Amino acid sequence: MSVNSQRQRLIKWVRRYPVIALSALALGYLLGGFSETDDGPIPQQIVITALYLFISLVPLGFIIAFLVVGRLGDLESAANKEKQSNLTYQDAFDLPSQIMHGYKLAMVTGRSPTLTGLTGDRYLSDAQAVCSENPEHIPPVAECECGFYAYKEFTDAQFELSINPGAFLLDVDLFGLGFTYKNGFRAESQVVNQLITPSRCMRCRVLPAKVFVTTYRLGYEDTTWWQWQMRCVVCSSSFKPSDKLTVEQMAQHLAVKINYSFS
């Protein structure tokens, strides 16, 4: 199992912990742990001790597991960087080739809708990467982090979407010089094949999403921006017509095919 899969599984268990904790408290209550009399099927002191151990040891176990997974991830990243720094190809026109197709997350921001990465960088549906750290770089550079990134696996992108609920999934092809990293690719240029929208409203999470709407967001250090999301008929009813776009209109603005089927 990869480090990324281990991290995803661990986060899923952390999300389940509140339910498990409530279940443990309910079980303790049924066993007489909170009763004023010690007449339960199990001695009250044993029940209370077990609850104390559960409350203290389980979070500690999660912390230790995160530290271990983080350390494994650091070791894997260091190994990948070492491989990239040992590129020994003599002929620049004789590099190994690979189809770089993947998935990534992006927001849609601005009054005029624009694809925006989670790092805040804006780009078109067909774009060349630019290094914001060193203008002399032609991305991707092995010793830098510049370039377009994409996950190899759709499930990895889906998981990241679960912790970035304001973003959309993109299906992309990467071209030019590229590197592989622990979760996917980093490459020179990118073409967005399609934007995959959620089938449910991004606000109420219940009704079908029908239309794009834009809201004014306040970020860190007094930065503000317009962010587009898909809403249902009810959640979009209070928006002015100028703050709405149909799926077809959004596809024209972004010059990207919109797949209206993801749930």
PDB file of all heavy atoms in Angstrom, residues 23-57:
ATOM      1  N   SER A  23     -20.452   6.157  20.201  1.00  0.00           N
ATOM      2  CA  SER A  23     -20.888   4.771  20.400  1.00  0.00           C
ATOM      3  C   SER A  23     -20.274   4.189  21.666  1.00  0.00           C
ATOM      4  O   SER A  23     -20.939   3.463  22.421  1.00  0.00           O
ATOM      5  CB  SER A  23     -20.500   3.921  19.185  1.00  0.00           C
ATOM      6  OG  SER A  23     -21.093   4.425  18.007  1.00  0.00           O
ATOM      7  N   ALA A  24     -18.996   4.514  21.909  1.00  0.00           N
ATOM      8  CA  ALA A  24     -18.332   4.021  23.118  1.00  0.00           C
ATOM      9  C   ALA A  24     -18.976   4.607  24.372  1.00  0.00           C
ATOM     10  O   ALA A  24     -19.174   3.903  25.379  1.00  0.00           O
ATOM     11  CB  ALA A  24     -16.847   4.370  23.070  1.00  0.00           C
ATOM     12  N   LEU A  25     -19.329   5.893  24.333  1.00  0.00           N
ATOM     13  CA  LEU A  25     -19.997   6.517  25.480  1.00  0.00           C
ATOM     14  C   LEU A  25     -21.378   5.907  25.712  1.00  0.00           C
ATOM     15  O   LEU A  25     -21.787   5.675  26.864  1.00  0.00           O
ATOM     16  CB  LEU A  25     -20.111   8.023  25.254  1.00  0.00           C
ATOM     17  CG  LEU A  25     -18.802   8.820  25.306  1.00  0.00           C
ATOM     18  CD1 LEU A  25     -19.042  10.269  24.900  1.00  0.00           C
ATOM     19  CD2 LEU A  25     -18.184   8.757  26.700  1.00  0.00           C
ATOM     20  N   ALA A  26     -22.096   5.646  24.608  1.00  0.00           N
ATOM     21  CA  ALA A  26     -23.415   5.025  24.741  1.00  0.00           C
ATOM     22  C   ALA A  26     -23.300   3.626  25.339  1.00  0.00           C
ATOM     23  O   ALA A  26     -24.099   3.228  26.203  1.00  0.00           O
ATOM     24  CB  ALA A  26     -24.101   4.971  23.378  1.00  0.00           C
ATOM     25  N   LEU A  27     -22.290   2.884  24.894  1.00  0.00           N
ATOM     26  CA  LEU A  27     -22.074   1.544  25.445  1.00  0.00           C
ATOM     27  C   LEU A  27     -21.721   1.620  26.928  1.00  0.00           C
ATOM     28  O   LEU A  27     -22.208   0.820  27.742  1.00  0.00           O
ATOM     29  CB  LEU A  27     -20.966   0.841  24.663  1.00  0.00           C
ATOM     30  CG  LEU A  27     -20.616  -0.587  25.101  1.00  0.00           C
ATOM     31  CD1 LEU A  27     -21.830  -1.497  24.943  1.00  0.00           C
ATOM     32  CD2 LEU A  27     -19.440  -1.123  24.289  1.00  0.00           C
ATOM     33  N   GLY A  28     -20.878   2.602  27.271  1.00  0.00           N
ATOM     34  CA  GLY A  28     -20.532   2.784  28.677  1.00  0.00           C
ATOM     35  C   GLY A  28     -21.746   3.121  29.524  1.00  0.00           C
ATOM     36  O   GLY A  28     -21.880   2.648  30.663  1.00  0.00           O
ATOM     37  N   TYR A  29     -22.650   3.917  28.954  1.00  0.00           N
ATOM     38  CA  TYR A  29     -23.884   4.264  29.674  1.00  0.00           C
ATOM     39  C   TYR A  29     -24.755   3.027  29.889  1.00  0.00           C
ATOM     40  O   TYR A  29     -25.295   2.806  30.985  1.00  0.00           O
ATOM     41  CB  TYR A  29     -24.644   5.323  28.884  1.00  0.00           C
ATOM     42  CG  TYR A  29     -25.980   5.692  29.484  1.00  0.00           C
ATOM     43  CD1 TYR A  29     -26.058   6.574  30.558  1.00  0.00           C
ATOM     44  CD2 TYR A  29     -27.160   5.148  28.971  1.00  0.00           C
ATOM     45  CE1 TYR A  29     -27.283   6.907  31.114  1.00  0.00           C
ATOM     46  CE2 TYR A  29     -28.385   5.472  29.525  1.00  0.00           C
ATOM     47  CZ  TYR A  29     -28.442   6.354  30.598  1.00  0.00           C
ATOM     48  OH  TYR A  29     -29.659   6.667  31.149  1.00  0.00           O
ATOM     49  N   LEU A  30     -24.885   2.203  28.845  1.00  0.00           N
ATOM     50  CA  LEU A  30     -25.708   0.995  28.960  1.00  0.00           C
ATOM     51  C   LEU A  30     -25.119  -0.004  29.950  1.00  0.00           C
ATOM     52  O   LEU A  30     -25.855  -0.766  30.587  1.00  0.00           O
ATOM     53  CB  LEU A  30     -25.859   0.342  27.581  1.00  0.00           C
ATOM     54  CG  LEU A  30     -26.654   1.143  26.540  1.00  0.00           C
ATOM     55  CD1 LEU A  30     -26.621   0.440  25.191  1.00  0.00           C
ATOM     56  CD2 LEU A  30     -28.094   1.345  27.000  1.00  0.00           C
ATOM     57  N   LEU A  31     -23.801   0.004  30.082  1.00  0.00           N
ATOM     58  CA  LEU A  31     -23.143  -0.913  31.015  1.00  0.00           C
ATOM     59  C   LEU A  31     -23.100  -0.365  32.439  1.00  0.00           C
ATOM     60  O   LEU A  31     -22.498  -0.979  33.321  1.00  0.00           O
ATOM     61  CB  LEU A  31     -21.724  -1.218  30.532  1.00  0.00           C
ATOM     62  CG  LEU A  31     -21.618  -2.008  29.220  1.00  0.00           C
ATOM     63  CD1 LEU A  31     -20.166  -2.150  28.793  1.00  0.00           C
ATOM     64  CD2 LEU A  31     -22.265  -3.386  29.366  1.00  0.00           C
ATOM     65  N   GLY A  32     -23.705   0.804  32.642  1.00  0.00           N
ATOM     66  CA  GLY A  32     -23.787   1.359  33.986  1.00  0.00           C
ATOM     67  C   GLY A  32     -22.615   2.208  34.403  1.00  0.00           C
ATOM     68  O   GLY A  32     -22.436   2.480  35.598  1.00  0.00           O
ATOM     69  N   GLY A  33     -21.831   2.655  33.447  1.00  0.00           N
ATOM     70  CA  GLY A  33     -20.661   3.455  33.788  1.00  0.00           C
ATOM     71  C   GLY A  33     -20.998   4.814  34.360  1.00  0.00           C
ATOM     72  O   GLY A  33     -20.182   5.411  35.067  1.00  0.00           O
ATOM     73  N   PHE A  34     -22.200   5.341  34.070  1.00  0.00           N
ATOM     74  CA  PHE A  34     -22.592   6.660  34.558  1.00  0.00           C
ATOM     75  C   PHE A  34     -23.716   6.571  35.597  1.00  0.00           C
ATOM     76  O   PHE A  34     -24.337   7.573  35.931  1.00  0.00           O
ATOM     77  CB  PHE A  34     -23.046   7.540  33.387  1.00  0.00           C
ATOM     78  CG  PHE A  34     -22.012   7.673  32.304  1.00  0.00           C
ATOM     79  CD1 PHE A  34     -22.130   6.958  31.122  1.00  0.00           C
ATOM     80  CD2 PHE A  34     -20.908   8.488  32.478  1.00  0.00           C
ATOM     81  CE1 PHE A  34     -21.178   7.069  30.122  1.00  0.00           C
ATOM     82  CE2 PHE A  34     -19.951   8.606  31.484  1.00  0.00           C
ATOM     83  CZ  PHE A  34     -20.081   7.886  30.303  1.00  0.00           C
ATOM     84  N   SER A  35     -23.960   5.367  36.065  1.00  0.00           N
ATOM     85  CA  SER A  35     -25.022   5.165  37.050  1.00  0.00           C
ATOM     86  C   SER A  35     -24.534   5.533  38.451  1.00  0.00           C
ATOM     87  O   SER A  35     -23.339   5.447  38.763  1.00  0.00           O
ATOM     88  CB  SER A  35     -25.481   3.706  37.018  1.00  0.00           C
ATOM     89  OG  SER A  35     -26.433   3.463  38.028  1.00  0.00           O
ATOM     90  N   GLU A  36     -25.472   5.960  39.285  1.00  0.00           N
ATOM     91  CA  GLU A  36     -25.118   6.298  40.668  1.00  0.00           C
ATOM     92  C   GLU A  36     -24.918   5.049  41.518  1.00  0.00           C
ATOM     93  O   GLU A  36     -24.316   5.107  42.591  1.00  0.00           O
ATOM     94  CB  GLU A  36     -26.215   7.178  41.281  1.00  0.00           C
ATOM     95  CG  GLU A  36     -26.339   8.544  40.608  1.00  0.00           C
ATOM     96  CD  GLU A  36     -27.403   9.399  41.259  1.00  0.00           C
ATOM     97  OE1 GLU A  36     -28.068   8.889  42.195  1.00  0.00           O
ATOM     98  OE2 GLU A  36     -27.563  10.561  40.839  1.00  0.00           O
ATOM     99  N   THR A  37     -25.431   3.923  41.055  1.00  0.00           N
ATOM    100  CA  THR A  37     -25.262   2.660  41.779  1.00  0.00           C
ATOM    101  C   THR A  37     -24.419   1.705  40.954  1.00  0.00           C
ATOM    102  O   THR A  37     -24.474   1.712  39.721  1.00  0.00           O
ATOM    103  CB  THR A  37     -26.626   2.010  42.062  1.00  0.00           C
ATOM    104  OG1 THR A  37     -27.301   1.760  40.825  1.00  0.00           O
ATOM    105  CG2 THR A  37     -27.480   2.930  42.926  1.00  0.00           C
ATOM    106  N   ASP A  38     -23.645   0.891  41.619  1.00  0.00           N
ATOM    107  CA  ASP A  38     -22.750  -0.054  40.935  1.00  0.00           C
ATOM    108  C   ASP A  38     -23.431  -1.413  40.825  1.00  0.00           C
ATOM    109  O   ASP A  38     -23.018  -2.404  41.433  1.00  0.00           O
ATOM    110  CB  ASP A  38     -21.438  -0.167  41.710  1.00  0.00           C
ATOM    111  CG  ASP A  38     -20.364  -0.897  40.897  1.00  0.00           C
ATOM    112  OD1 ASP A  38     -20.646  -1.224  39.722  1.00  0.00           O
ATOM    113  OD2 ASP A  38     -19.272  -1.142  41.441  1.00  0.00           O
ATOM    114  N   ASP A  39     -24.516  -1.449  40.028  1.00  0.00           N
ATOM    115  CA  ASP A  39     -25.252  -2.707  39.884  1.00  0.00           C
ATOM    116  C   ASP A  39     -25.321  -3.160  38.432  1.00  0.00           C
ATOM    117  O   ASP A  39     -26.200  -3.925  38.052  1.00  0.00           O
ATOM    118  CB  ASP A  39     -26.665  -2.554  40.449  1.00  0.00           C
ATOM    119  CG  ASP A  39     -27.425  -1.398  39.793  1.00  0.00           C
ATOM    120  OD1 ASP A  39     -26.818  -0.681  38.962  1.00  0.00           O
ATOM    121  OD2 ASP A  39     -28.611  -1.216  40.109  1.00  0.00           O
ATOM    122  N   GLY A  40     -24.411  -2.679  37.596  1.00  0.00           N
ATOM    123  CA  GLY A  40     -24.394  -3.065  36.193  1.00  0.00           C
ATOM    124  C   GLY A  40     -23.764  -4.426  35.987  1.00  0.00           C
ATOM    125  O   GLY A  40     -23.199  -5.029  36.915  1.00  0.00           O
ATOM    126  N   PRO A  41     -23.835  -4.945  34.756  1.00  0.00           N
ATOM    127  CA  PRO A  41     -23.246  -6.263  34.462  1.00  0.00           C
ATOM    128  C   PRO A  41     -21.724  -6.281  34.585  1.00  0.00           C
ATOM    129  O   PRO A  41     -21.126  -7.335  34.775  1.00  0.00           O
ATOM    130  CB  PRO A  41     -23.691  -6.528  33.022  1.00  0.00           C
ATOM    131  CG  PRO A  41     -23.970  -5.179  32.451  1.00  0.00           C
ATOM    132  CD  PRO A  41     -24.489  -4.354  33.590  1.00  0.00           C
ATOM    133  N   ILE A  42     -21.101  -5.106  34.438  1.00  0.00           N
ATOM    134  CA  ILE A  42     -19.646  -4.982  34.571  1.00  0.00           C
ATOM    135  C   ILE A  42     -19.374  -3.945  35.655  1.00  0.00           C
ATOM    136  O   ILE A  42     -20.057  -2.915  35.707  1.00  0.00           O
ATOM    137  CB  ILE A  42     -19.004  -4.550  33.239  1.00  0.00           C
ATOM    138  CG1 ILE A  42     -19.279  -5.600  32.148  1.00  0.00           C
ATOM    139  CG2 ILE A  42     -17.497  -4.352  33.391  1.00  0.00           C
ATOM    140  CD1 ILE A  42     -18.753  -5.223  30.785  1.00  0.00           C
ATOM    141  N   PRO A  43     -18.407  -4.194  36.532  1.00  0.00           N
ATOM    142  CA  PRO A  43     -18.102  -3.206  37.581  1.00  0.00           C
ATOM    143  C   PRO A  43     -17.891  -1.812  36.990  1.00  0.00           C
ATOM    144  O   PRO A  43     -17.230  -1.637  35.967  1.00  0.00           O
ATOM    145  CB  PRO A  43     -16.823  -3.757  38.214  1.00  0.00           C
ATOM    146  CG  PRO A  43     -16.918  -5.230  37.987  1.00  0.00           C
ATOM    147  CD  PRO A  43     -17.582  -5.399  36.663  1.00  0.00           C
ATOM    148  N   GLN A  44     -18.467  -0.831  37.661  1.00  0.00           N
ATOM    149  CA  GLN A  44     -18.441   0.542  37.154  1.00  0.00           C
ATOM    150  C   GLN A  44     -17.021   1.060  36.965  1.00  0.00           C
ATOM    151  O   GLN A  44     -16.729   1.768  35.994  1.00  0.00           O
ATOM    152  CB  GLN A  44     -19.212   1.446  38.121  1.00  0.00           C
ATOM    153  CG  GLN A  44     -19.444   2.853  37.593  1.00  0.00           C
ATOM    154  CD  GLN A  44     -20.233   3.693  38.569  1.00  0.00           C
ATOM    155  OE1 GLN A  44     -19.869   3.797  39.738  1.00  0.00           O
ATOM    156  NE2 GLN A  44     -21.323   4.273  38.102  1.00  0.00           N
ATOM    157  N   GLN A  45     -16.133   0.701  37.863  1.00  0.00           N
ATOM    158  CA  GLN A  45     -14.763   1.180  37.781  1.00  0.00           C
ATOM    159  C   GLN A  45     -14.076   0.677  36.513  1.00  0.00           C
ATOM    160  O   GLN A  45     -13.295   1.394  35.883  1.00  0.00           O
ATOM    161  CB  GLN A  45     -13.967   0.742  39.019  1.00  0.00           C
ATOM    162  CG  GLN A  45     -12.584   1.379  39.122  1.00  0.00           C
ATOM    163  CD  GLN A  45     -12.662   2.889  39.203  1.00  0.00           C
ATOM    164  OE1 GLN A  45     -13.526   3.451  39.874  1.00  0.00           O
ATOM    165  NE2 GLN A  45     -11.754   3.569  38.513  1.00  0.00           N
ATOM    166  N   ILE A  46     -14.375  -0.557  36.117  1.00  0.00           N
ATOM    167  CA  ILE A  46     -13.783  -1.114  34.894  1.00  0.00           C
ATOM    168  C   ILE A  46     -14.296  -0.360  33.665  1.00  0.00           C
ATOM    169  O   ILE A  46     -13.534  -0.036  32.743  1.00  0.00           O
ATOM    170  CB  ILE A  46     -14.101  -2.618  34.786  1.00  0.00           C
ATOM    171  CG1 ILE A  46     -13.405  -3.383  35.913  1.00  0.00           C
ATOM    172  CG2 ILE A  46     -13.672  -3.158  33.419  1.00  0.00           C
ATOM    173  CD1 ILE A  46     -13.696  -4.867  35.909  1.00  0.00           C
ATOM    174  N   VAL A  47     -15.593  -0.059  33.653  1.00  0.00           N
ATOM    175  CA  VAL A  47     -16.177   0.667  32.519  1.00  0.00           C
ATOM    176  C   VAL A  47     -15.557   2.057  32.399  1.00  0.00           C
ATOM    177  O   VAL A  47     -15.161   2.492  31.307  1.00  0.00           O
ATOM    178  CB  VAL A  47     -17.709   0.772  32.672  1.00  0.00           C
ATOM    179  CG1 VAL A  47     -18.295   1.632  31.552  1.00  0.00           C
ATOM    180  CG2 VAL A  47     -18.338  -0.614  32.655  1.00  0.00           C
ATOM    181  N   ILE A  48     -15.453   2.759  33.530  1.00  0.00           N
ATOM    182  CA  ILE A  48     -14.897   4.116  33.504  1.00  0.00           C
ATOM    183  C   ILE A  48     -13.431   4.089  33.082  1.00  0.00           C
ATOM    184  O   ILE A  48     -12.973   4.920  32.287  1.00  0.00           O
ATOM    185  CB  ILE A  48     -15.059   4.778  34.887  1.00  0.00           C
ATOM    186  CG1 ILE A  48     -16.547   5.004  35.175  1.00  0.00           C
ATOM    187  CG2 ILE A  48     -14.298   6.100  34.942  1.00  0.00           C
ATOM    188  CD1 ILE A  48     -16.829   5.563  36.549  1.00  0.00           C
ATOM    189  N   THR A  49     -12.684   3.111  33.605  1.00  0.00           N
ATOM    190  CA  THR A  49     -11.269   2.996  33.224  1.00  0.00           C
ATOM    191  C   THR A  49     -11.123   2.731  31.732  1.00  0.00           C
ATOM    192  O   THR A  49     -10.258   3.311  31.061  1.00  0.00           O
ATOM    193  CB  THR A  49     -10.595   1.863  34.021  1.00  0.00           C
ATOM    194  OG1 THR A  49     -10.716   2.131  35.420  1.00  0.00           O
ATOM    195  CG2 THR A  49      -9.127   1.749  33.651  1.00  0.00           C
ATOM    196  N   ALA A  50     -11.988   1.861  31.197  1.00  0.00           N
ATOM    197  CA  ALA A  50     -11.936   1.559  29.762  1.00  0.00           C
ATOM    198  C   ALA A  50     -12.239   2.803  28.929  1.00  0.00           C
ATOM    199  O   ALA A  50     -11.595   3.050  27.900  1.00  0.00           O
ATOM    200  CB  ALA A  50     -12.921   0.442  29.435  1.00  0.00           C
ATOM    201  N   LEU A  51     -13.199   3.610  29.378  1.00  0.00           N
ATOM    202  CA  LEU A  51     -13.527   4.839  28.650  1.00  0.00           C
ATOM    203  C   LEU A  51     -12.365   5.828  28.697  1.00  0.00           C
ATOM    204  O   LEU A  51     -12.040   6.471  27.693  1.00  0.00           O
ATOM    205  CB  LEU A  51     -14.787   5.477  29.234  1.00  0.00           C
ATOM    206  CG  LEU A  51     -16.108   4.755  28.951  1.00  0.00           C
ATOM    207  CD1 LEU A  51     -17.253   5.421  29.696  1.00  0.00           C
ATOM    208  CD2 LEU A  51     -16.407   4.732  27.453  1.00  0.00           C
ATOM    209  N   TYR A  52     -11.732   5.958  29.865  1.00  0.00           N
ATOM    210  CA  TYR A  52     -10.576   6.846  29.980  1.00  0.00           C
ATOM    211  C   TYR A  52      -9.450   6.400  29.038  1.00  0.00           C
ATOM    212  O   TYR A  52      -8.808   7.221  28.370  1.00  0.00           O
ATOM    213  CB  TYR A  52     -10.067   6.878  31.420  1.00  0.00           C
ATOM    214  CG  TYR A  52     -10.770   7.877  32.300  1.00  0.00           C
ATOM    215  CD1 TYR A  52     -11.344   7.493  33.510  1.00  0.00           C
ATOM    216  CD2 TYR A  52     -10.861   9.219  31.935  1.00  0.00           C
ATOM    217  CE1 TYR A  52     -11.994   8.408  34.325  1.00  0.00           C
ATOM    218  CE2 TYR A  52     -11.507  10.142  32.738  1.00  0.00           C
ATOM    219  CZ  TYR A  52     -12.075   9.730  33.932  1.00  0.00           C
ATOM    220  OH  TYR A  52     -12.712  10.646  34.726  1.00  0.00           O
ATOM    221  N   LEU A  53      -9.210   5.099  29.000  1.00  0.00           N
ATOM    222  CA  LEU A  53      -8.158   4.579  28.121  1.00  0.00           C
ATOM    223  C   LEU A  53      -8.500   4.834  26.656  1.00  0.00           C
ATOM    224  O   LEU A  53      -7.635   5.209  25.855  1.00  0.00           O
ATOM    225  CB  LEU A  53      -7.971   3.083  28.369  1.00  0.00           C
ATOM    226  CG  LEU A  53      -7.331   2.694  29.708  1.00  0.00           C
ATOM    227  CD1 LEU A  53      -7.340   1.183  29.880  1.00  0.00           C
ATOM    228  CD2 LEU A  53      -5.901   3.228  29.792  1.00  0.00           C
ATOM    229  N   PHE A  54      -9.770   4.639  26.308  1.00  0.00           N
ATOM    230  CA  PHE A  54     -10.194   4.868  24.922  1.00  0.00           C
ATOM    231  C   PHE A  54     -10.004   6.332  24.536  1.00  0.00           C
ATOM    232  O   PHE A  54      -9.456   6.648  23.474  1.00  0.00           O
ATOM    233  CB  PHE A  54     -11.660   4.465  24.763  1.00  0.00           C
ATOM    234  CG  PHE A  54     -12.226   4.762  23.402  1.00  0.00           C
ATOM    235  CD1 PHE A  54     -12.030   3.889  22.346  1.00  0.00           C
ATOM    236  CD2 PHE A  54     -12.947   5.929  23.170  1.00  0.00           C
ATOM    237  CE1 PHE A  54     -12.545   4.167  21.087  1.00  0.00           C
ATOM    238  CE2 PHE A  54     -13.464   6.214  21.922  1.00  0.00           C
ATOM    239  CZ  PHE A  54     -13.262   5.326  20.878  1.00  0.00           C
ATOM    240  N   ILE A  55     -10.457   7.237  25.407  1.00  0.00           N
ATOM    241  CA  ILE A  55     -10.391   8.668  25.097  1.00  0.00           C
ATOM    242  C   ILE A  55      -8.951   9.155  24.997  1.00  0.00           C
ATOM    243  O   ILE A  55      -8.633  10.057  24.214  1.00  0.00           O
ATOM    244  CB  ILE A  55     -11.166   9.467  26.168  1.00  0.00           C
ATOM    245  CG1 ILE A  55     -12.663   9.166  26.057  1.00  0.00           C
ATOM    246  CG2 ILE A  55     -10.921  10.964  26.021  1.00  0.00           C
ATOM    247  CD1 ILE A  55     -13.487   9.761  27.178  1.00  0.00           C
ATOM    248  N   SER A  56      -8.050   8.556  25.765  1.00  0.00           N
ATOM    249  CA  SER A  56      -6.660   9.025  25.769  1.00  0.00           C
ATOM    250  C   SER A  56      -5.787   8.310  24.742  1.00  0.00           C
ATOM    251  O   SER A  56      -4.952   8.939  24.077  1.00  0.00           O
ATOM    252  CB  SER A  56      -6.054   8.844  27.166  1.00  0.00           C
ATOM    253  OG  SER A  56      -6.109   7.477  27.561  1.00  0.00           O
ATOM    254  N   LEU A  57      -5.986   7.000  24.578  1.00  0.00           N
ATOM    255  CA  LEU A  57      -5.077   6.232  23.729  1.00  0.00           C
ATOM    256  C   LEU A  57      -5.410   6.328  22.241  1.00  0.00           C
ATOM    257  O   LEU A  57      -4.497   6.348  21.405  1.00  0.00           O
ATOM    258  CB  LEU A  57      -5.080   4.760  24.161  1.00  0.00           C
ATOM    259  CG  LEU A  57      -4.502   4.474  25.550  1.00  0.00           C
ATOM    260  CD1 LEU A  57      -4.543   2.982  25.840  1.00  0.00           C
ATOM    261  CD2 LEU A  57      -3.066   4.992  25.651  1.00  0.00           C
TER     262      LEU A  57
END
